[in-house]
Amino acid sequence: MFNNEKFFWSPAARWEKKDGQVKIEVFCYKDYIVELFPEFYFFTQKGVYVNDLIDKFPKYDKDRLKSFIQDLIRKKILVDSPLIPHELFYSGNYLFQNKHSENIKYDKLEFENFKSMQLNRNYKTPKGLKINLYSDEQYPYCISERKTCRSFNTNEIISFEVFSKLIAVFRQRRINGQIKYYYASAGGLYPIDIYIYIKEKRVENLKQGLYYYSPLDNSINIVDECCHVNKNAHYFMNQSIFNQSAFSIFFIYNMEVTMPKYGGIGYLYSCIDIGIMVSSLTFVAGLYNIGLCSIGDMNFHKIEKYFQLNKNQVYIHTVELGLKLED
Ligand SMILES: Cc1cc2nc3c(=O)[nH]c(=O)nc-3n(C[C@H](O)[C@H](O)[C@H](O)COP(=O)(O)O)c2cc1C
């Protein structure tokens, strides 16, 4: 059982002994499990094979210990790979000492006031030390007119040519024997795997389904023809965007590509890579009348099965795209 990999106590899981129980985040355990702590935590914090962990507690029934361990693995309290972003950044929820009202999350007016305050923040410059810059820059249309699109033209189909030209922003080229991309990536390693979900009759020549985009030969490869993404994969606020979009792009960080070189900080670089990718995509989309909307978070677990990811591939970001509506 799970014995080929070391398991670690998830850095995202806090535990305490309280009222005769062990409470691990929202889960409570009692009876013999209480006696296992804190040693159980110390062993798993450093990483341990399941059989070795069981051997550390010879006094206890092996099968019961096994089922406890299995339960912790299922709940992702014991993990054998880096955390997903939700777990990784979870500590920010309690380490950040929030001085603002919780209402800004739910009350539109309070949020608008809060947003206005944030967007008007400034540096308190002592007199005479402020230097105003020229403000007459003239950027190309695809930059100056950029804006998020949340409604798309659902009556017309995107031509195969436009779709190809758009996605080609992620392709690999060989120039004088050197591999080049249109965007930057830490170490030139390009760890982001790109998956595209295309809806029925929205892109010329392409059937509905989930595809893997190969930057190597600029092709899309069917992953699952039967993949059907339901609007419930999205939070309520984003469902109408998804309902209208022609296709979705999913950005998946493949840790095997950069963690051997960068270790854990490769995770941060991958998020920066994705930001640059979305930015490049945005400008190219502007050239071809395609609009897009970044989706910060979704119920990815509802569709994860279609992707057949391995444990070192982690979902980071989604972008919904479609033909722009006339202004
Ligand atoms: C990381 C990220 C996540 C976002 N998530 C959402 C989202 O879930 N839903 C949405 O409607 N817009 C989303 N947006 C778009 C922002 O709301 C939008 O960029 C912002 O309001 C500024 O508007 P503009 O892009 O039209 O200038 C996201 C943008 C980014 C960069």
Side-chain angles (χ1 to χ4, degrees):
M1 172 193 88
F2 304 118
N3 216 37
N4 298 328
E5 304 286 349
K6 269 189 181 173
F7 279 88
F8 293 78
W9 188 271
S10 165
R14 292 170 301 167
W15 70 274
E16 63 178 335
K17 268 185 175 182
K18 202 177 171 192
D19 304 329
Q21 299 190 328
V22 167
K23 192 167 178 231
I24 309 171
E25 290 300 334
V26 294
F27 308 108
C28 290
Y29 296 90
K30 42 193 181 183
D31 303 330
Y32 77 100
I33 289 173
V34 182
E35 296 167 24
L36 304 179
F37 284 78
E39 281 72 21
F40 188 96
Y41 170 70
F42 294 141
F43 291 133
T44 54
Q45 194 192 27
K46 283 185 248 152
V48 63
Y49 293 103
V50 171
N51 281 350
D52 293 347
L53 181 59
I54 291 170
D55 290 345
K56 305 268 188 204
F57 299 96
K59 250 178 50 186
Y60 297 91
D61 179 75
K62 277 188 193 287
D63 289 335
R64 289 177 80 192
L65 265 178
K66 255 188 201 170
S67 68
F68 172 55
I69 292 168
Q70 269 174 330
D71 185 47
L72 294 185
I73 291 172
R74 221 179 12 255
K75 289 174 175 153
K76 299 201 71 181
I77 290 160
L78 292 183
V79 293
D80 66 343
S81 60
L83 306 181
I84 62 169
H86 269 278
E87 297 161 347
L88 190 65
F89 298 119
Y90 174 69
S91 63
N93 292 338
Y94 53 87
L95 292 178
F96 174 69
Q97 299 183 22
N98 189 6
K99 294 184 181 67
H100 298 277
S101 156
E102 281 289 301
N103 285 348
I104 61 155
K105 292 181 187 160
Y106 316 107
D107 185 307
K108 199 166 179 253
L109 190 65
E110 282 214 35
F111 174 68
E112 287 306 331
N113 289 338
F114 171 78
K115 185 172 173 182
S116 160
M117 186 174 80
Q118 298 306 338
L119 298 190
N120 284 297
R121 73 189 186 280
N122 207 344
Y123 189 75
K124 283 197 180 61
T125 321
K127 253 196 170 158
L129 294 182
K130 188 190 278 289
I131 301 140
N132 289 320
L133 303 178
Y134 293 139
S135 303
D136 58 351
E137 74 283 357
Q138 298 213 324
Y139 292 139
Y141 179 84
C142 64
I143 298 181
S144 60
E145 297 305 310
R146 182 215 62 82
K147 63 178 182 217
T148 293
C149 283
R150 296 187 176 85
S151 306
F152 303 101
N153 177 343
T154 54
N155 298 321
E156 285 172 63
I157 187 163
I158 298 175
S159 74
F160 186 70
E161 187 186 350
V162 162
F163 179 81
S164 303
K165 285 184 170 156
L166 181 69
I167 302 299
V169 72
F170 298 136
R171 87 180 175 90
Q172 191 185 94
R173 294 168 300 144
R174 280 171 201 260
I175 295 172
N176 301 329
Q178 272 215 320
I179 294 180
K180 295 292 293 173
Y181 284 72
Y182 289 112
Y183 61 94
S185 167
L189 283 166
Y190 296 89
I192 307 305
D193 290 336
I194 299 166
Y195 290 75
I196 306 177
Y197 174 66
I198 300 177
K199 292 184 187 160
E200 192 61 39
K201 297 200 175 85
R202 297 300 297 277
V203 181
E204 185 189 18
N205 297 346
L206 296 178
K207 286 195 181 144
Q208 171 168 320
L210 182 67
Y211 298 80
Y212 170 83
Y213 173 69
S214 168
L216 190 67
D217 56 11
N218 192 31
S219 63
I220 56 167
N221 305 261
I222 291 175
V223 175
D224 193 329
E225 285 175 297
C226 303
C227 169
H228 180 78
V229 178
N230 188 286
K231 73 172 184 341
N232 294 330
H234 288 274
Y235 296 136
F236 180 74
M237 299 280 281
N238 289 329
Q239 287 181 354
S240 76
I241 305 168
F242 170 75
N243 284 342
Q244 293 183 36
S245 71
F247 63 100
S248 319
I249 303 181
F250 299 94
F251 297 85
I252 309 285
Y253 171 38
N254 189 335
M255 300 176 192
E256 272 163 41
V257 181
T258 55
M259 284 217 182
K261 176 168 164 68
Y262 291 121
I265 202 74
Y267 214 129
L268 169 67
Y269 297 160
S270 80
C271 297
I272 297 172
D273 282 14
I274 291 172
I276 296 172
M277 291 169 83
V278 174
S279 188
S280 307
L281 180 72
T282 303
F283 299 138
V284 174
L287 299 175
Y288 295 110
N289 201 33
I290 299 289
L292 57 82
C293 180
S294 263
I295 302 293
D297 198 10
M298 65 180 287
N299 296 313
F300 186 73
H301 65 272
K302 294 206 170 172
I303 56 169
E304 188 165 11
K305 60 177 187 253
Y306 297 119
F307 290 69
Q308 297 161 42
L309 303 179
N310 66 45
K311 69 176 188 183
N312 289 324
Q313 285 177 296
V314 61
Y315 161 74
I316 308 276
H317 192 57
T318 304
V319 174
E320 296 297 325
L321 303 98
L323 272 178
K324 277 188 189 164
L325 286 167
E326 301 286 320
D327 275 335

